[in-house]
């Protein structure tokens, strides 16, 4: 089987580095694919082996992958001896990372497209999947040119920097004939003009915002209340997180993208809005670890009030990285099988699933399994 | 549609009293069927209306239902004004409660059967469902006569008190042509001789041990770990409970029935035994309320260890009572539609589902919905 | 011994109503003084008996105390049969509640003073203590006339409404020769001009912001870390509260007073600023109940990181009301013994203790005991 | 100032190894004395500098300290580079570890005494403090010879192995003229015959069972309830622990020593027995980490019920090791200043403080400070 190219936007970030280190460690026999959904016993789908992935990407940072990996070793995300052990694979990926596009940095679409197609050609890859794991952007205001591809291309041709970076990356991916995954809550491929482009190029895409922590647990628990006919009276939460992602989310504008993404699950599963907010706090001390506390007040028979609380202590990058590997392989296989446009079947992986309103975790998983079955 | 008889073993207990009060309150328009699974919007199945239930049962206690209801009012399980408001319905049910069978109390089968058939005749009921919500019994040792109905009946005819009360009640129910629900972790209908009897009489049954608190949450969360390929390293828990059920479980023998029942879920869903125990503590101070804390240690990508904890604060009787109403109606309808023997489709309601190994909550719910569809 | 007048600002609020109901219930022998610090076995200080308190106050609301008490009965703060049982005491207090001062409501000092002195005269009271338990105000900007009593009185005489209500109430109390307690985080007596007035009239005062929930626990735990030489790396919290106080704090301006008050404890006890924030969320569903979750990350020997979390589920009014009774009696006794000005010895009761930097709970308690000893 | 000898019983265990590594790391400038109570700013007492400690001890295990330290590095108790860095200090301590006494291993007192005095002589030490950090023993039944030193020595002289190991070590320590600290819940010096010996030899001792986790938090929180006149209705807990200590406590006999020790605090501080139990579970998966959950149900004004829960996630050895260093220095200084017999002033460090009934943490700390003041 052919190798698969994985092009990571934010390739030097925690999630990307963990994914690259992990794939290399699995290849080297130094780790199991624990946490990869598509590698669990009996999971269907003829997917590219994890050992056949080739990495590259864009980033605006310059720290080498080896250095980033060493930082993750100190932060107890990965074992401290892996960066040394996997040095040659990290260097190989490093050599394929190109400068990212900074908002307001002038016309860049052509260059980004060339970066991706060059990577594909250099490695003789049948397919590349572009995955955005760069810093979360603030939400953007609507613009007329977001609605139609012709209008958008006119503005881009005129040198106007109208797209937020995530959408420009999606534009470049589609143009290059690549599937795309929006793993962040940023705008990415969610503009009508970009859907038009994906359709025209026959490429699939999926998103939005990887579901790895508190929201994952929420989507496992909310259906329990709904099916048992228990009324959720309020659902409140506090997320404490450090790391690069935490630093980005310390900015209220970026945070608002994430909060919107988190707050959907409960409302959608329960079918009505519920009191309570989800707070996100940047606590540098926590490093790459995230702690979330949720408090659910609910009502049962004869109006009795009861409570469920949970505390989640997770390592975000370790939760996200295997999903990045899953998504690359699933999107590539869907592309190969001729699927294009949004892939609602991948909603299982996301906080704000595109193309579907299903947020209940088990239902999402059932749909994913059925999809993988079709792909095999 | 005909009225349905609900014959409760342990009819003066907290669960039974809450179920009887609740049904009366719903009939009186003083409460909604919150917590009744079969009453949630769009739930299929042509079930007897909640307003058409008639209650009776066995108990070894003598406190009147009105008094028990007043106690539950003080314990904040039900609103303190309901017992007065619903006095006539409580008295009507009270008049249909017969003395229960105390273990070692001599031959009783015939009397128990007569109690049930008399109730059915008096109220001109097409069907009665017998539901065991009496105190948990210790596990019993196997005996040869448990294996074959003929041997069992021989012993009973000889006046030998060989069955634990729950099994004697199941025997009486089946003999009387009634469906049976084992809502406790006791032996009940799980003896081969009784399965033989149920088959012969063409009656359905379901069980075992209503799933209302910690185990409910466990069965919602365990599949999340399994499907995400996260390895659960240990799962430990402490249950604090007061009330009559707590007092019974303060006895280590009775507690062992319950603990066995609780510990299955995680192992079955994860497909391997997991370190850690589930403790049950009797804390009279907590009254009818139960608090459970669970600690789950799990491993993700590259061996990273993470933790999920939850605290559940629930009112057990308020969680159990609506399920008792659900089960009565579902078993009656299955009986009417000609189903007999064990009903694995009702596994959703139980900690130790009979006739199935499925413990994942969402999968159980999907099976229940399909079953209800068939019944309609 | 003489009776003691307790004049409550916000006399129809939850805290005030609970205090009035409680004192009446204790007088009627229907309740014990559980939660009253000054009533615990062996507590010194010759204080007015709890049965000798007379209540009156100001409020801008008009709901009768009986109605408010009934609401608190439904909210499970007090037993639902108390309002009926104590009707005559509630009516007596109701008859002594006068219209409060709304900010911007024009000159009011004289009227407020007359209300208080009239109450004292009518009941032949030796002493009245004024306690502010009205809604939290936003912080105020400094003004030149806050600095000197003469300047302040000049402005008031000119009919200028320069003081926030809490400070106007403190002004009136001091003028009337009464001790004053600032139980809220509002400005109250903390202006230099008012300290001057208290000194001139020889009246004592204490404050600020009753310490009843999360902050109480914080002040018990923070010294543990300090004394054990464990370094607190971050301390984060989320407070969920409903009730009238919650509704007020839904306003960010009022909330900022409260947050300032809460955040001091950790910093003061640990002697250095610590990462992390304390969030306050209004969740109407929770009614008079408050739930707080705190997460403390700390470092021990050889840099090892550890975690302490706590969840507090308290009924705020039930925690505050007995302290109001304690404070009335302690301030009255201090007044009687000739103490005037700020009473730092009462810091035990407050989140932002006036006149002292001691926030460690046990140290505050030791100081309170010593003070009570002196008073006896 | 002279060097101080620290003779550790269980010298190859987790606590001992962490203490030895830590002292070496501090000496090497590779760590701060974080977690050492006696090193916090302003702590009085002219104590031997942490850099002047010499280590030796008894153990029945043979793994080298270097190997044990490496295990602790992998378990994330200490930084993995410390064992290499401090190799020579670890070897020096290793060379001073002698075979321990196995119960039933025949007469050993003389040999143990010689081991200790030999160590003192070899290093020219003015003083040695013996500290028991070996595995917890089961409680022992009373014996007549425990009551009088003469009777005990007669039995020992006759070659009878009547003492549990911890008490034999205490016997040897006292005989050798050394102070002794019982850091475990074992019997140790608590026999009247041994008190007699300590008095005769003029040596001080302290104990019992280092207070490092759940019990520490309990002793900080229980006084809060007592002083606020809140009635604790129940206090329940579950401790999950791995490590060598966990393995020992998996044995119900050893566990019973620990449970007794833990359960005292609440009763003693609150002055009355309280419902609820403290469970200890061995969960190997948790390694050197301990997680404890406590649930406190309490009652306030007018009988309102409220709840406090906490979760403690601590590294036991990292919490215990600095206290071992504190205790060595404090006992040595007390010895030097002529104190002998039990030292109740050190109750701050223990779950079952000898010679005092004070369990409230802040009161214990105040007493420790006063004691340290006296010693300086
Ligand atoms: N880790 C999780 O569990 C999880 C879950 C859902 C979503 N996410 C999202 O994944 C993203 C990455 O998270 P992380 O923890 O790796 O963050 P990170 O801060 O470690 O990495 C982000 C990387 O993006 C790079 N970057 C920033 N702007 C860029 C641009 N314009 N072009 C190219 N690269 C750019 C940064 O230089 C950095 O290397 C975040 O948006 C986060 O919200 C993560
Ligand atoms: N409440 C829940 O959430 C829940 C969940 C699962 C299972 N259960 C089970 O339901 C049962 C009832 O719980 P509860 O809280 O109502 O307990 P309870 O103690 O309040 O009631 C039990 C009743 O059974 C009666 N009884 C005892 N022995 C009997 C006998 N031999 N024959 C007839 N009656 C007898 C008792 O007199 C009492 O009235 C328990 O076995 C419990 O384990 C309850
Ligand atoms: N309950 C606690 O544990 C606690 C602890 C610390 C501080 N406090 C403070 O105590 C205060 C009262 O809390 P609550 O729960 O009783 O609130 P509440 O909303 O029930 O009562 C406040 C009362 O103040 C009245 N009020 C508002 N403005 C007024 C004015 N200008 N003059 C006179 N009355 C006025 C309102 O009409 C209302 O009756 C709040 O400021 C709160 O922050 C409470
Ligand atoms: N770590 C804490 O926070 C803490 C707190 C209070 C008490 N303690 C107590 O400290 C002790 C040590 O804990 P640990 O975690 O280091 O345990 P551990 O199992 O790692 O170490 C115990 C050591 O004692 C040795 N030992 C056993 N029997 C002996 C004997 N008869 N003579 C000499 N040595 C013997 C063992 O070989 C082992 O090396 C335990 O008793 C524990 O209960 C620990
Ligand atoms: Na942790
Ligand atoms: Na509660």
């Amino acid at each position: 089987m052919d190798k698969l190219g994985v092009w990571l936007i934010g390739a030097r970030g925690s999630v990307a580095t963990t994914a690259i280190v992990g794939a290399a460690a699995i290849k080297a026999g130094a780790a199991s694919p624990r946490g990869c959904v598509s590698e669990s016993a009996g999971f269907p789908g003829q997917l590219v082996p994890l050992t056949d992935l080739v990495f590259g990407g864009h980033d605006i940072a310059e720290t080498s992958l080896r250095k980033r990996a060493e930082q993750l070793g100190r932060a107890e995300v990965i074992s401290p001896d892996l960066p040394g052990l996997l040095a040659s694979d990290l260097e190989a990926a490093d050599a394929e990372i190109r400068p990212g596009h900074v908002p307001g940095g002038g016309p860049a679409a052509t260059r980004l497209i060339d970066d991706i197609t060059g990577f594909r050609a250099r490695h003789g890859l049948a397919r590349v999947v572009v995955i955005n794991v760069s810093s979360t952007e603030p939400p953007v205001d609507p613009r007329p040119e977001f609605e139609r591809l012709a209008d958008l291309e006119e503005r881009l041709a005129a040198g106007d920097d109208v797209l937020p970076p995530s959408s420009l990356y999606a534009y470049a991916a589609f143009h290059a004939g690549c599937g795309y995954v929006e793993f962040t809550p940023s705008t990415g491929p969610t503009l009508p003009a970009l859907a038009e482009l994906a359709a025209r190029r026959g490429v699939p895409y999926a998103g939005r915002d990887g579901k790895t922590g508190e929201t994952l647990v929420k989507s496992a628990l909310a259906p329990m209340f709904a099916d048992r006919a228990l009324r959720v009276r309020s659902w409140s939460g506090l997320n404490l997180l450090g790391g690069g992602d935490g630093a980005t989310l310390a900015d209220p504008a970026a945070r608002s993208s994430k909060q919107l993404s988190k707050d959907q699950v409960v409302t959608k599963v329960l079918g009505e809005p519920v009191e309570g907010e989800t707070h996100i706090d940047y606590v540098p001390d926590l490093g790459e670890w995230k702690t979330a506390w949720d408090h659910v007040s609910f009502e049962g028979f004869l109006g009795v009030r009861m409570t469920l609380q949970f505390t989640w202590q997770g390592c975000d990058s370790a939760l996200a990285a295997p999903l990045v590997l899953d998504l690359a392989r699933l999107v590539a296989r869907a592309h190969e099988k001729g699927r294009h446009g949004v892939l609602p079947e991948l909603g299982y992986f996301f906080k704000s699933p595109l193309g579907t309103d299903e947020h209940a975790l088990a239902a999402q998983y059932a749909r994913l399994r059925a999809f993988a079955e079709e792909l095999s």
Side-chain angles (χ1 to χ4, degrees), chain A:
Chain A
M1 202 185 276
D2 289 332
K3 297 210 169 222
L4 169 62
V6 183
W7 187 264
L8 300 168
I9 314 302
R12 303 190 184 288
S14 296
V15 172
T17 307
T18 307
I20 295 169
V21 167
I26 291 166
K27 209 171 69 184
S32 77
R34 173 82 50 226
C36 284
V37 172
S38 60
E39 285 291 313
S40 56
F43 195 90
Q46 286 199 289
L47 307 178
V48 177
L50 280 176
T51 45
D52 284 352
L53 306 180
V54 183
F55 292 92
H58 286 118
D59 203 307
I60 58 172
E62 288 178 10
T63 326
S64 75
L65 277 179
R66 171 80 185 263
K67 278 233 153 62
R68 284 294 285 123
E70 282 163 2
Q71 288 165 10
L72 295 175
R74 280 190 297 277
E76 298 179 11
V77 177
I78 64 170
S79 164
D81 44 345
L82 286 180
L85 193 73
L86 310 169
S88 69
D89 275 19
L90 296 180
E91 270 158 43
D94 229 358
E96 290 293 358
I97 303 182
R98 300 288 172 271
H101 170 68
V102 190
T110 317
R111 204 257 299 161
L112 300 178
I113 295 168
D114 290 350
D115 288 342
I116 299 171
T117 53
F119 169 68
R120 184 170 53 200
R122 244 181 337 274
H123 294 273
L125 304 167
R127 244 167 307 278
V128 169
V129 175
V130 176
I131 304 189
N132 184 15
V133 286
S134 68
S135 312
T136 296
E137 302 164 0
V140 291
D141 289 328
R143 282 163 165 271
E145 60 269 26
F146 289 174
E147 298 303 312
R148 278 189 48 225
L149 181 59
D151 297 346
L152 177 65
E153 300 213 302
E154 197 175 308
R155 298 296 306 273
L156 292 177
D160 287 352
D161 204 356
V162 292
L163 289 174
S166 61
S167 299
L168 191 67
Y169 288 119
Y171 176 84
F174 293 163
H175 236 288
C178 299
Y180 180 92
V181 176
E182 185 54 62
F183 201 80
T184 84
S186 305
T187 311
T190 64
L191 305 174
L194 295 179
E196 209 182 319
L197 178 58
R200 196 167 298 178
R201 300 285 162 149
V203 291
Y205 64 94
R208 192 157 65 153
D209 202 5
K211 179 157 79 172
T212 49
E214 186 210 21
T215 316
L216 177 68
V217 182
K218 272 181 165 168
S219 68
L221 289 175
M224 175 185 82
F225 294 108
D227 296 346
R228 279 281 165 116
L230 301 166
R231 188 163 83 85
V232 174
R233 297 179 55 97
S234 66
W235 194 310
S236 311
L238 176 57
N239 283 264
L240 308 174
L241 72 170
D245 190 25
T248 304
L249 296 177
D251 168 23
R255 190 161 56 210
S256 77
S257 297
K258 194 63 135 194
Q259 246 146 352
L260 280 176
S261 195
K262 281 179 154 300
D263 285 345
Q264 286 179 53
V265 178
V266 171
T267 307
K268 286 283 169 58
V269 172
L270 301 177
E272 54 175 13
V274 161
E275 265 184 24
E277 286 171 55
T278 301
H279 298 263
I280 303 180
D281 249 33
Y282 176 47
V283 184
D285 153 55
L286 296 180
E288 298 287 330
W289 287 76
K290 171 145 74 179
T291 296
W293 175 73
D294 271 46
H295 177 272
V296 188
S297 153
F298 63 98
E299 192 181 300
F301 203 49
L302 303 176
V304 172
R305 298 212 194 167
M306 304 177 257
T307 305
L308 175 66
Q309 299 168 50
F310 68 83
T311 307
W312 170 268
Q313 294 170 306
C315 176
D316 261 11
S317 301
L319 289 159
L323 305 184
V324 165
L325 304 181
D326 285 326
L327 284 161
R329 305 198 300 157
L330 286 159
V331 169
R333 180 70 181 154
H335 193 183
E336 190 183 348
K337 298 278 276 186
R339 284 290 301 267
H340 58 84
V342 72
L343 299 173
E345 297 93 339
L346 298 181
Y348 176 66
F349 293 99
F350 300 109
K351 292 196 194 74
S352 306
L354 298 179
T356 168
D357 260 350
E358 182 59 80
H359 281 75
L361 189 66
Q364 292 176 323
Y365 183 67
R367 194 164 184 199
L368 172 67
R369 286 293 292 238
F371 177 62
E373 207 74 65
E374 275 169 50
L375 297 183
S376 68

